[in-house]
Structure formats: C-alpha cells, structure tokens
Amino acid sequence: MQLSWTLGHNLKKVIEKMGNAKSGALSKELLEELKMNTKYSEEQLYVWYQKFLNECPTGRISQEQFESIYASFFPDADPKAYAQHVFRSFDANSDGTLDFKEYIVALHLTSSGKTVEKLEWAFALYDVDRNGTITKNEIHEIVKSIFNMISKEDQKNLPDDENTPEKRTEKIWDFFGKKENGKITEGEFIQGVMDNKNILRLIQFDEPQKVQERLKEKKQ
Ligand SMILES: [Ca+2]
Ligand SMILES: [Ca+2]
C-alpha cells in the first residue's frame, strides 16, 4: 500500500529541525532497544543523539518547543491544536515532554515506519483520552484540528460531503458502522483503514488540492 503521509513528511522536517553536537552518554540498554525497533544503526543513533542534545540540552522537548517549530512550518494556518495532539501521540509515557527515545520513535515513524506502525500511531493520535478506543467525539476533535490547518480558500475545493469537520467526521464514523455512542478498537481501526483507501485519505492531513494540482503540473 502506498501511503502519502504528507503529515509525516512535514513532521519529519519538524523533528529533524530539533536536531545539531554535544557529547553525552546514551545508555547501552536504550541503544539496543532503539536499534531493534527502528531502522537506525548504532552510528546513526549516536549522530541523532548529538543533534538532539544540541537542540535540547535538557534532553527533553517541551510541548511549547514542539508547537513553535510546528508553527514555523505552517505560517498561514493555525496548527496549535493539531501540534498538541501530535505531541501527545508521541509522548508515550505521558510526562509532558519528549525524551530521546520518544523522539527517535517519532523520527522513525514519520520517515520510514511500516504501514501498520504508522496506523498504530494514527490510532494513538485519534485516541485523545488514551483509553484504548476511539469515539466519534475523538474523531471530531482531531478532524477539527486538521481543518484549522486548511485555509478557507482550500476548504471550498473539498467535496460537498466532507467540507466541514462535522461532515468529514460523519463520513469516517459511518464507514466503521458503529452506533452513535460506540467505540472503535485499535484492531478495527487499523484493519478498516488498511481495507479502505478513502478512509485513509480522510483520517490524515492532506496537502490542499491546489498544491497537489501544482505538483502534478510540475511532473508533466
Ligand atoms: Ca515523554
Ligand atoms: Ca479514547
């Protein structure tokens, strides 16, 4: 399956920007764990670690730092709410900061993670209260934050049945065939999105249509 993950592309830039050199100790345990769970070699991990410490001497990225970097990539939009959700989805231990391990997992996911890993992450993004299931309200919450990143002008180009956060939420929710107050499990979410490209498109932040058209023109 081909995933565009435009979001991932921008996210990768955000995360890379947090990177440049200062020496520090990287524990052997953590190094082994990261080597096993990502595509990075020991050498690459050391390089990322130096960059990480240079940018974040405390060894932690705060939510404010994350938001401000995000804002620099979306100067014409309001990415704050979305950035907060993305931050939460990467903050695996819920301590309000991203440490090196969480940072590397984010970097791995947004650049070269497997489809299923990306969908596990998408599930975490949509599971706003982290209780292991997704409700319609949670979908609405994320879809609203995605809409804040799409200009009013570009919103006009969206199909009629998905040009408001409410309509788009309905469309996603209908697909899963749940009752109004039902819940989607992680397994159902991943399988559902893998089976339906349309849902995959609806759950992610897409490049505005006009940008896509411009890119297509360039290729021709
Ligand atoms: Ca954390
Ligand atoms: Ca939830």
Side-chain angles (χ1 to χ4, degrees):
M1 181 192 289
Q2 192 61 40
L3 285 181
S4 66
W5 291 94
T6 307
L7 154 74
H9 180 66
N10 276 310
L11 211 52
K12 183 166 178 271
K13 283 192 280 184
V14 169
I15 290 160
E16 280 178 353
K17 195 170 174 181
M18 296 169 184
N20 292 318
K22 200 175 192 180
S23 68
L26 181 57
S27 84
K28 215 171 167 51
E29 290 77 20
L30 180 56
L31 198 61
E32 287 305 319
E33 191 185 333
L34 292 175
K35 258 165 55 185
M36 249 171 42
N37 295 308
T38 69
K39 53 153 190 172
Y40 303 116
S41 68
E42 191 161 327
E43 291 71 28
Q44 286 172 314
L45 286 167
Y46 272 117
V47 172
W48 280 118
Y49 191 63
Q50 303 295 325
K51 286 187 178 186
F52 179 79
L53 279 185
N54 190 53
E55 197 69 21
C56 310
T58 59
R60 290 174 187 281
I61 299 162
S62 69
Q63 185 164 316
E64 291 70 31
Q65 274 175 301
F66 192 80
E67 281 170 28
S68 69
I69 296 169
Y70 228 98
S72 69
F73 282 106
F74 297 94
D76 303 322
D78 178 12
K80 193 178 164 82
Y82 192 71
Q84 285 171 354
H85 287 301
V86 172
F87 185 89
R88 169 186 45 78
S89 70
F90 288 143
D91 183 14
N93 65 358
S94 309
D95 69 351
T97 62
L98 299 188
D99 58 23
F100 182 65
K101 180 180 165 182
E102 291 163 337
Y103 164 82
I104 285 296
V105 169
L107 188 68
H108 167 72
L109 268 179
T110 54
S111 54
S112 61
K114 297 184 189 116
T115 301
V116 69
E117 292 174 326
K118 285 179 172 168
L119 292 178
E120 281 168 6
W121 168 62
F123 181 84
L125 180 71
Y126 275 85
D127 183 13
V128 176
D129 68 1
R130 302 171 179 263
N131 72 346
T133 54
I134 296 176
T135 62
K136 191 173 175 183
N137 270 341
E138 287 175 316
I139 292 184
H140 188 218
E141 182 79 27
I142 302 300
V143 170
K144 268 193 295 184
S145 71
I146 289 176
F147 265 72
N148 285 344
M149 317 239 292
I150 309 173
S151 75
K152 291 274 175 277
E153 199 51 40
D154 286 323
Q155 288 184 23
K156 287 182 194 156
N157 296 321
L158 294 171
D160 271 351
D161 63 342
E162 51 188 73
N163 61 1
T164 68
E166 291 67 34
K167 288 186 202 170
R168 190 150 159 177
T169 300
E170 282 299 331
K171 208 169 169 179
I172 297 171
W173 192 252
D174 280 354
F175 169 77
F176 287 98
K178 296 280 175 184
K179 292 196 180 117
E180 194 67 12
N181 59 354
K183 294 174 169 70
I184 301 170
T185 64
E186 186 176 19
E188 290 169 339
F189 180 84
I190 293 176
Q191 196 56 51
V193 177
M194 290 243 244
D195 288 348
N196 190 307
K197 286 215 171 80
N198 214 17
I199 296 302
L200 174 66
R201 178 179 62 79
L202 289 171
I203 61 158
Q204 53 180 322
F205 169 61
D206 240 338
E207 289 276 319
Q209 213 168 347
K210 268 194 260 162
V211 177
Q212 290 182 2
E213 279 164 14
R214 245 179 274 150
L215 288 172
K216 266 186 220 154
E217 279 165 22
K218 262 191 178 173
K219 276 182 199 158
Q220 283 163 2

